Amino acid sequence: MLAVLPCCLSCAARLEGEVYSNGRAEFTLKSTLMPGTGRLLAGLAANGGGTVFDADMLNRNFAAMPGVESAALRNSGRDGIEGVIVVANMARFFDRAPKSGAKQFSAVTWEQSATGGTLKIDFNMDTGQEFLLSVSPDLKDYLSALMAPVATGEVTDRDAYLELVASVYGASVADEILKTRFSLNIGFPGPVESVSGGTGKGSHAEFAIPLTDLLVLDRPLHYEVRWTPWR
C-alpha cells in the first residue's frame, strides 16, 4: 500500500493482489489522476508538462527494493499508470535492507508461518516522512506542492488542509482530494480471521482509504489483517 502511494495522488486508484503460501505475491495497480490535480501535477513534472508519473523510474525504484522480483508499470495517457509488481519474498521485502540492516518500512510488520500470518501497518507522521525518502524522489516534491503535512511536517487537521489547498489551487482540486479513495483488495494464503480498518471475506481483505488520511496524518492510521491456514 505505502509503496504505490506516489501513483495515487488524487486519483481513482486500485491495487489488487494475491499473496501465496511461499511468500511470493503479485500486485496489479491501476491509477488515473482526476482532471484538476492532473493538470496541476503535469505542470510540475520533470519532463515539462508531459506524463505526470515516470513509469521507468518507478520500475527501477521498485526493482531495487529487497524481495522484489519485477516491476512492469507503464503510463496510460498523461495522467495514469498501470501494471504489475511481483514480490518474490514478502518477508524480505518488509524485513531488513541488506546493507544497512535497518527495516525497509518500519511502519509495517509482516509475519507468515505454517499456522497463518499477520500484516500490520502503523502509519504516522514519523513513518510517513521515512516512507517519502524511500520510494520516489518525485513523491516529496509532488506532496510538498500539494502542501500535504506528510511532506511538509506541519501539523494540521483535514479541514484546515483542504481549506489551504482550495485557497491556493481552487475548490475543485480540494474537492478531488477529499473524494479520493485508495482501494485495495488483497488475497492471503488462508481464510482471513480478523481485519482492522477494512473488511474481510473468505481469504480476501479489502480497504478503502481516504487520501486525506494519508496526506494529513493528524491521527495515526492502523490497519491489520490476520489469517489462518486452510483446513
Side-chain angles (χ1 to χ4, degrees):
M1 179 179 69
L2 304 184
V4 298
L5 179 61
C7 312
C8 306
L9 301 174
S10 189
C11 58
R14 185 167 182 83
L15 180 71
E16 296 183 343
E18 193 75 31
V19 181
Y20 303 103
S21 58
N22 63 358
R24 180 182 172 87
E26 297 180 9
F27 299 97
T28 300
L29 172 69
K30 187 170 184 179
S31 172
T32 304
L33 285 167
M34 291 186 178
T37 310
R39 289 191 294 271
L40 170 63
L41 295 183
L44 300 172
N47 55 13
T51 57
V52 173
F53 304 114
D54 186 335
D56 290 337
M57 183 189 67
L58 287 169
N59 286 331
R60 290 193 299 271
N61 290 347
F62 279 118
M65 293 180 180
V68 174
E69 179 178 305
S70 63
L73 299 174
R74 60 187 178 277
N75 290 107
S76 54
R78 185 192 68 174
D79 301 336
I81 196 160
E82 60 185 28
V84 176
I85 301 166
V86 178
V87 177
N89 188 303
M90 289 287 281
R92 179 167 167 73
F93 181 70
F94 288 126
D95 197 2
R96 295 183 176 277
K99 294 181 180 179
S100 66
K103 282 181 69 65
Q104 184 172 339
F105 297 117
S106 64
V108 181
T109 300
W110 173 269
E111 298 174 354
Q112 183 177 358
S113 69
T115 60
T118 303
L119 169 64
K120 295 180 183 179
I121 300 174
D122 290 290
F123 205 37
N124 54 44
M125 192 64 79
D126 289 337
T127 56
Q129 295 279 318
E130 171 193 280
F131 159 72
L132 292 181
L133 298 175
S134 65
V135 176
S136 167
D138 288 340
L139 178 56
K140 193 175 192 321
D141 292 339
Y142 284 151
L143 293 180
S144 294
L146 289 175
M147 300 168 292
V150 67
T152 65
E154 297 180 8
V155 178
T156 187
D157 61 26
R158 291 165 178 74
D159 290 342
Y161 169 63
L162 292 171
E163 287 178 8
L164 177 61
V165 172
S167 68
V168 176
Y169 295 123
S172 62
V173 172
D175 191 52
E176 287 178 359
I177 293 173
L178 175 63
K179 291 179 178 178
T180 296
R181 297 292 185 273
F182 180 26
S183 300
L184 300 97
N185 189 322
I186 308 297
F188 293 89
V192 169
E193 185 177 53
S194 64
V195 179
S196 297
T199 59
K201 183 177 181 180
S203 62
H204 284 253
E206 190 157 4
F207 302 87
I209 304 169
L211 180 62
T212 50
D213 285 1
L214 294 168
L215 297 184
V216 176
L217 290 176
D218 57 340
R219 63 186 180 202
L221 305 178
H222 175 76
Y223 304 97
E224 183 174 344
V225 181
R226 294 179 181 270
W227 70 93
T228 59
W230 291 109
R231 295 182 173 84

